[in-house]
Amino acid sequence: MADPDAPESTHLRIRREARGFFTGLWTTLRDHPLGMWAREQWQTSKWFRRASYLLAALVAFNIILWATVTRNLPSAESLLTYQPPLPTMVRGVNGEIVYSYARERRVQLRYVDFPEQLKNAFISAEDKTFWTHGGIDFTGLAGAVIDYTLKFGSGERARGGSTITQQVAKNILIGDEYSITRKLKEMIVARRIETVLSKPQILELYLNEIPLGRQSFGVQAAARAYFGKDVADLSLSESAFLAILPKAPEKYGRAKYANEALTRRNWVLDQMLKNGHINQQQAQEAKAQPLGVIPRRIEAYDPSVGYFVEEVRRDLISRYGESADAGPNSIYAGGLWVRTSLDPQLQIATQNALRSGLLRYGGSKAWHGPTEHINVDPDKWQSQLIALNKSVNYLDWRIGIVISRDGAKATIGFTDGQSGPLGGLPDALKAGDVIAAAPNGNGWAVRMIPEVSGGMMVEDPHTGRVYAMQGGFDAGLGSFNRATQAQRQPGSTIKPFVYATALDYGMTPASEVVDGPFCVYQGAKLGEKCFRNFDMRGAGGTHTMRWGLEQSRNLMTVHIANDTGMDRVVNQISKVGIGKYPPYLSYALGAGETTVAQMTNAYSALANNGVQYPQSLIDYVQDRNGKVIWRADNRRCDGCLMAEWDGKPMPRLAPRGKQVLDPRTAYQVVHMLEGVVTRGTAVVLRDLGLPLFGKTGTTTGPTNVWFAGGSQDIVGVVYLGYDQPRSLGGYAQGGTFAAPIFKQFVTETRARWSHRPFVAPPDVYMVKVDRVTGKRVFDGTPSTDPKSPIIWEAFKADAEPRRGLSSDMAAQRDAMIAAARKGAAARERQPDVTSPQASPSIAADQSVIVQ
């Protein structure tokens, strides 16, 4: 063991002594008053530190809350000026709504427009304390928290527990993200909303914006979508049904969930009874009612307007954009009101006439194939067909898809899920073909949509407003508009503007032109180009310009264009807006390309004595508040709204149209084109008995057939041809296929056509002329007979025809010629006999003959 007497370690001694020293020092300081004060301060600082930690935690929590929740929260004040996305409504010329551009069904109502029972149904179903809470229902919130905790990790969605105010915040300001963060944002914004808006304002926003399925937002749109009614016409049971939709908008409207919907509707009725909004009898009667939900339906707009409204849509998108991101007046969110020039009566007649013409040409031809072909999935064919978005509105035809084919048997299906046997099968028909079919007994029969197509447009020549437009057989088959987008050769319909140029440079309708060969040397590579008439031959001799236009003679037109100067001709064609072409003679026969729309506007200038207006489909556009933001006629009328007349001349609007043709020339051309109808290539229109002008056209091939013309008040142009140009067959001509289309259009709208004849402008003289020679005559009267030898012809004041012979003088002339020939023959037989008395007489006869 250790020796007690051993010397102590110095290190240990120092440590012991130092510990004793510090212990004594601590005791001294602790007992000293100053030490006691320090000890008290230390205890106080400990609580201070704890408070500081707590404050720091609160600051950190608020920073995190701000960063994750409240930062960038939308302002509740923005709801005071909130503009919901609204569809654009399109009106026709009579002010009636003809179409709407909408991706969502929305109709905005005021608070007072909502029936009380409908408001009570929604409040009972969604937020029974709505009128008393400050934006948050804490009882409902607690239940939602418990439900969320129980379902956490299960994949199920917890019930929301949101008040109506919170739903307004979610639907309009925040979004529908499923998260705790979104819920916190929703609560904060709801509290703010309650300080900015009144309860009726909040409920109005809610009932206008709540998504209720079937692309419907708001109760008015939903009422139309589910019941085909306005909210004011809803029964109690129907109002209760709408109130169940916020929970599952895409579920309860489906037939297979009808029992669940019925149970939920009856629960809403029980809640209304419990809250004192209805009595027991009303609840029982409403519960006894079926759901009464109608199948999904498309807005009942006339499908004949398809091509017209699609052209309007393109125009509006180019001006204002498509979605809300493009600006406040976008087509699908801006709530625009668009007044168009669409005339429903003329539009339907245009569609019918063009369709009839297409079927008349192509309806009896062999089956040319389906409208489209896809790789059909037997299990998903309905969704595949819906995705194609094809339809046809003709008789009882429907667009369907061939689901299967086995020999002489086939099955066809439609977008509504219906299917059935298909008969009348072409050999080439196969599964995946998208075709037209019509009911046939217990099944369906194949119908053929013509492969040939075409376009037609109708315009008011006094304003340039387009009344009607048809761009093919049916707009449901495709949006390509052959009236505005198809570039086609106009053929002989361009000839009136060649003749107009010649009339401007000294020729008259009575001028004689050679109908004979015309060849042009085009250089060493191209050689010589020789023109020919449609019938492949010339008539020989000379004929009047009128006859050449009435009979559409190519050789005469080429002679006229060459003599006038092709640079002048193409300049005139450009002035009327048909197109810009190089100065080659072939363009005088319609070799260039143009559209139906351009030709319609050009012929409108002819009908309006040379004044041409910009072509327009839209009259004016109003924003959602009714302010006009664009109009086609933007002329100012200073002084038109004076409170009192100032005694000065009445204010007048400046002319809007542009004079693109000499008015006298335009009338002369129209007067000749009336002859095209009465005895020329458009004689099929003659029995209409109306003052009409027009010109047919047939291009090389023939690949296109045209008619252009009308009256002083209505002008129309139509063409037929394949989309990929190819021959229509040698029998196809403008007078046999295009003109009858225009005739049907006039027949269907006969009440719209005036018997008022075309009115000649100043400095035009109507002169009686011989129809064949164009020479002026003095006796006789033009008759209604198309072949009358005497007609009225239009001349400019400085270009009246040279005096010709009366019918009596013509008879005397023929007798004198016969006598002169007889006398000449007698002299040949008796050369030695002379008659000095006869010489003056013969000389006089010869002078008459020369004259």
Side-chain angles (χ1 to χ4, degrees):
M1 64 182 286
D3 186 358
D5 296 328
E8 185 179 22
S9 167
T10 303
H11 177 71
L12 291 175
R13 188 178 67 251
I14 293 172
R15 288 181 61 188
R16 185 178 68 247
E17 291 176 354
R19 183 166 59 247
F21 170 78
F22 283 114
T23 302
L25 180 62
W26 168 250
T27 302
T28 301
L29 290 175
R30 183 188 61 188
D31 296 338
H32 192 276
L34 184 62
M36 295 176 66
W37 176 84
R39 190 166 62 253
E40 291 174 358
Q41 293 302 312
W42 170 255
Q43 292 295 332
T44 304
S45 66
K46 189 164 74 172
W47 288 107
F48 178 77
R49 285 198 306 273
R50 290 176 181 175
S52 299
Y53 294 153
L54 180 60
L55 180 61
L58 288 174
V59 171
F61 175 78
N62 278 280
I63 291 174
I64 294 172
L65 183 66
W66 174 84
T68 59
V69 179
T70 61
R71 182 169 66 96
N72 297 327
L73 270 183
S75 169
E77 284 78 6
S78 64
L79 292 177
L80 293 172
T81 57
Y82 172 66
Q83 298 283 7
L86 293 177
T88 289
M89 309 303 292
V90 181
R91 297 182 185 271
V93 71
N94 56 6
E96 297 292 329
I97 295 176
V98 297
Y99 202 76
S100 70
Y101 305 115
R103 289 177 177 150
E104 300 170 347
R105 292 187 175 96
R106 291 179 182 268
V107 181
Q108 296 290 298
L109 298 181
R110 298 172 303 161
Y111 177 78
V112 295
D113 296 325
F114 297 110
E116 285 298 319
Q117 70 176 16
L118 181 66
K119 290 184 285 188
N120 292 332
F122 273 88
I123 290 173
S124 296
E126 293 293 311
D127 186 3
K128 64 181 180 180
T129 62
F130 170 73
W131 296 109
T132 58
H133 65 63
I136 301 172
D137 180 3
F138 290 101
T139 303
L141 179 63
V145 171
I146 294 172
D147 192 52
Y148 179 84
T149 304
L150 294 174
K151 292 178 178 177
F152 183 78
S154 66
E156 294 184 57
R157 185 162 182 158
R159 64 185 180 91
S162 296
T163 64
I164 283 178
T165 311
Q166 287 176 266
Q167 292 183 57
V168 169
K170 176 184 68 175
N171 294 331
I172 299 177
L173 298 177
I174 296 175
D176 196 25
E177 177 192 359
Y178 182 62
S179 67
I180 296 177
T181 302
R182 192 269 297 168
K183 198 70 177 178
L184 292 172
K185 291 180 179 180
E186 180 184 296
M187 293 167 60
I188 295 170
V189 174
R191 293 288 294 176
R192 294 177 181 177
I193 290 174
E194 291 279 347
T195 65
V196 173
L197 301 180
S198 66
K199 289 289 187 177
Q201 288 175 316
I202 294 172
L203 189 57
E204 178 182 312
L205 278 172
Y206 174 76
L207 294 176
N208 275 325
E209 293 298 315
I210 184 71
L212 297 174
R214 295 194 178 185
Q215 296 179 299
S216 300
F217 288 77
V219 293
Q220 170 64 11
R224 291 181 178 175
Y226 289 97
F227 300 111
K229 298 179 179 180
D230 292 324
V231 290
D233 302 322
L234 292 175
S235 66
L236 175 59
S237 64
E238 291 167 342
S239 296
F241 171 83
L242 293 184
I244 75 174
L245 294 175
K247 296 298 183 186
E250 295 300 334
K251 174 182 177 181
Y252 291 132
R254 298 183 180 181
K256 64 180 180 179
Y257 297 112
N259 290 333
E260 290 93 329
L262 200 61
T263 301
R264 180 71 179 176
R265 183 204 67 180
N266 292 344
W267 176 84
V268 171
L269 291 169
D270 288 337
Q271 294 300 306
M272 295 180 71
L273 175 63
K274 181 180 178 181
N275 296 330
H277 298 309
I278 57 175
N279 58 40
Q280 185 67 44
Q281 181 180 353
Q282 289 174 315
Q284 291 302 322
E285 290 176 353
K287 287 181 180 180
Q289 297 297 319
L291 290 179
V293 176
I294 63 175
R296 283 180 178 265
R297 65 188 182 92
I298 300 173
E299 295 293 343
Y301 298 127
D302 186 347
S304 71
V305 306
Y307 286 108
F308 194 105
V309 296
E310 174 60 19
E311 199 67 23
V312 171
R313 188 184 76 92
R314 292 183 181 123
D315 189 334
L316 292 173
I317 288 177
S318 68
R319 295 180 189 277
Y320 305 113
E322 190 169 355
S323 61
D325 296 338
N329 296 318
S330 63
I331 185 172
Y332 287 108
L336 303 178
W337 289 88
V338 183
R339 186 64 169 263
T340 71
S341 54
L342 173 70
D343 187 306
Q345 181 190 15
L346 298 182
Q347 178 61 46
I348 292 174
T350 299
Q351 174 187 260
N352 294 344
L354 182 62
R355 280 181 172 176
S356 297
L358 296 176
L359 290 168
R360 199 159 42 242
Y361 174 84
S364 60
K365 296 185 179 297
W367 194 69
H368 58 78
T371 60
E372 198 157 339
H373 179 84
I374 63 173
N375 294 322
V376 63
D377 185 334
D379 298 323
K380 300 179 180 178
W381 61 265
Q382 184 182 6
S383 59
Q384 288 180 302
L385 184 59
I386 291 173
L388 291 176
N389 194 29
K390 299 282 185 181
S391 64
V392 63
N393 178 53
Y394 179 71
L395 300 179
D396 54 359
W397 293 14
R398 295 180 67 182
I399 293 295
I401 186 169
V402 180
I403 303 171
S404 63
R405 178 171 186 180
D406 183 12
K409 296 182 179 180
T411 303
I412 189 170
F414 302 98
T415 53
D416 60 359
Q418 181 184 3
S419 63
L422 181 66
L425 307 180
D427 292 339
L429 186 76
K430 55 185 178 294
D433 283 349
V434 180
I435 63 169
N440 184 31
N442 294 325
W444 300 84
V446 176
R447 293 291 181 263
M448 187 177 71
I449 294 172
E451 183 182 14
V452 70
S453 197
M456 184 173 179
M457 182 177 284
V458 180
E459 181 178 321
D460 176 2
H462 304 299
T463 61
R465 300 165 74 215
V466 176
Y467 284 143
M469 177 194 308
Q470 187 71 10
F473 188 83
D474 195 290
L477 299 172
S479 61
F480 182 70
N481 191 335
R482 294 158 189 85
T484 59
Q485 295 176 295
Q487 295 284 335
R488 313 294 292 203
Q489 291 181 329
S492 295
T493 55
I494 208 167
K495 289 178 181 176
F497 303 98
V498 178
Y499 281 61
T501 310
L503 293 171
D504 279 341
Y505 287 93
M507 299 186 75
T508 74
S511 296
E512 293 190 325
V513 182
V514 175
D515 184 26
F518 190 95
C519 296
V520 178
Y521 182 69
Q522 303 178 101
K525 290 185 178 181
L526 298 177
E528 191 174 55
K529 163 71 175 178
C530 290
F531 295 89
R532 56 194 178 189
N533 287 320
F534 180 80
D535 57 9
M536 309 300 285
R537 66 181 186 272
T542 59
H543 302 273
T544 62
M545 279 182 62
R546 166 179 284 279
W547 185 86
L549 189 56
E550 289 178 353
Q551 303 303 319
S552 195
R553 306 303 289 180
N554 289 348
L555 292 177
M556 292 180 66
T557 303
V558 172
H559 278 286
I560 291 169
N562 185 68
D563 293 345
T564 304
M566 271 305 297
D567 54 341
R568 293 171 173 170
V569 171
V570 295
N571 181 59
Q572 181 61 72
I573 291 172
S574 176
K575 281 180 64 178
V576 297
I578 294 175
K580 296 183 181 296
Y581 307 132
Y584 302 142
L585 287 170
S586 58
Y587 289 95
L589 301 179
E593 291 184 335
T594 189
T595 66
V596 170
Q598 290 169 308
M599 291 301 293
T600 307
N601 202 225
Y603 270 77
S604 292
L606 287 175
N608 199 35
N609 285 340
V611 178
Q612 187 179 54
Y613 291 89
Q615 197 171 65
S616 66
L617 281 72
I618 301 173
D619 292 343
Y620 57 85
V621 179
Q622 295 169 284
D623 65 14
R624 67 172 67 218
N625 299 314
K627 179 183 178 182
V628 175
I629 58 177
W630 183 88
R631 63 170 68 247
D633 186 353
N634 56 7
R635 293 173 296 170
R636 293 177 56 87
C637 184
D638 296 325
C640 284
L641 299 178
M642 287 188 297
E644 295 182 3
W645 181 42
D646 58 5
K648 297 180 180 179
M650 295 296 290
R652 294 288 185 268
L653 289 171
R656 189 166 68 94
K658 182 180 180 182
Q659 193 78 47
V660 295
L661 286 162
D662 184 318
R664 302 170 302 169
T665 297
Y667 179 80
Q668 286 180 300
V669 173
V670 167
H671 192 58
M672 289 191 285
L673 292 177
E674 287 185 272
V676 175
V677 173
T678 56
R679 55 184 163 267
T681 56
V683 70
V684 68
L685 303 175
R686 185 173 67 196
D687 60 4
L688 290 172
L690 292 170
L692 299 174
F693 77 105
K695 183 70 187 74
T696 60
T698 307
T699 61
T700 303
T703 56
N704 305 290
V705 292
W706 291 74
F707 176 81
S711 69
Q712 284 188 120
D713 302 315
I714 302 175
V715 169
V717 175
V718 58
Y719 95 89
L720 269 70
Y722 291 104
D723 286 343
Q724 297 299 321
R726 69 174 190 265
S727 176
L728 294 167
Y731 58 90
Q733 297 181 36
T736 56
F737 282 101
I741 292 175
F742 188 79
K743 182 177 183 179
Q744 179 178 336
F745 167 73
V746 176
T747 302
E748 289 192 19
T749 59
R750 185 62 183 257
R752 303 288 295 272
W753 296 81
S754 171
H755 287 267
R756 181 170 61 95
F758 290 91
V759 178
D763 294 328
V764 170
Y765 293 86
M766 304 305 294
V767 180
K768 290 188 293 185
V769 301
D770 183 271
R771 181 175 58 83
V772 176
T773 65
K775 296 294 189 294
R776 186 172 187 173
V777 297
F778 292 95
D779 63 341
T781 302
S783 70
T784 56
D785 180 6
K787 300 293 186 179
S788 172
I790 304 174
I791 62 171
W792 292 109
E793 191 59 272
F795 293 91
K796 297 173 184 175
D798 54 355
E800 291 185 50
R802 184 164 56 93
R803 177 173 295 185
L805 303 173
S806 69
S807 56
D808 291 340
M809 293 175 65
Q812 294 174 10
R813 175 195 63 187
D814 293 340
M816 286 188 288
I817 290 174
R821 289 174 177 171
K822 184 177 181 180
R827 285 195 299 276
E828 290 178 0
R829 290 192 300 271
Q830 299 176 358
D832 57 323
V833 178
T834 60
S835 175
Q837 291 84 5
S839 295
S841 177
I842 293 173
D845 292 341
Q846 288 172 341
S847 69
V848 172
I849 294 170
V850 172
Q851 180 182 357

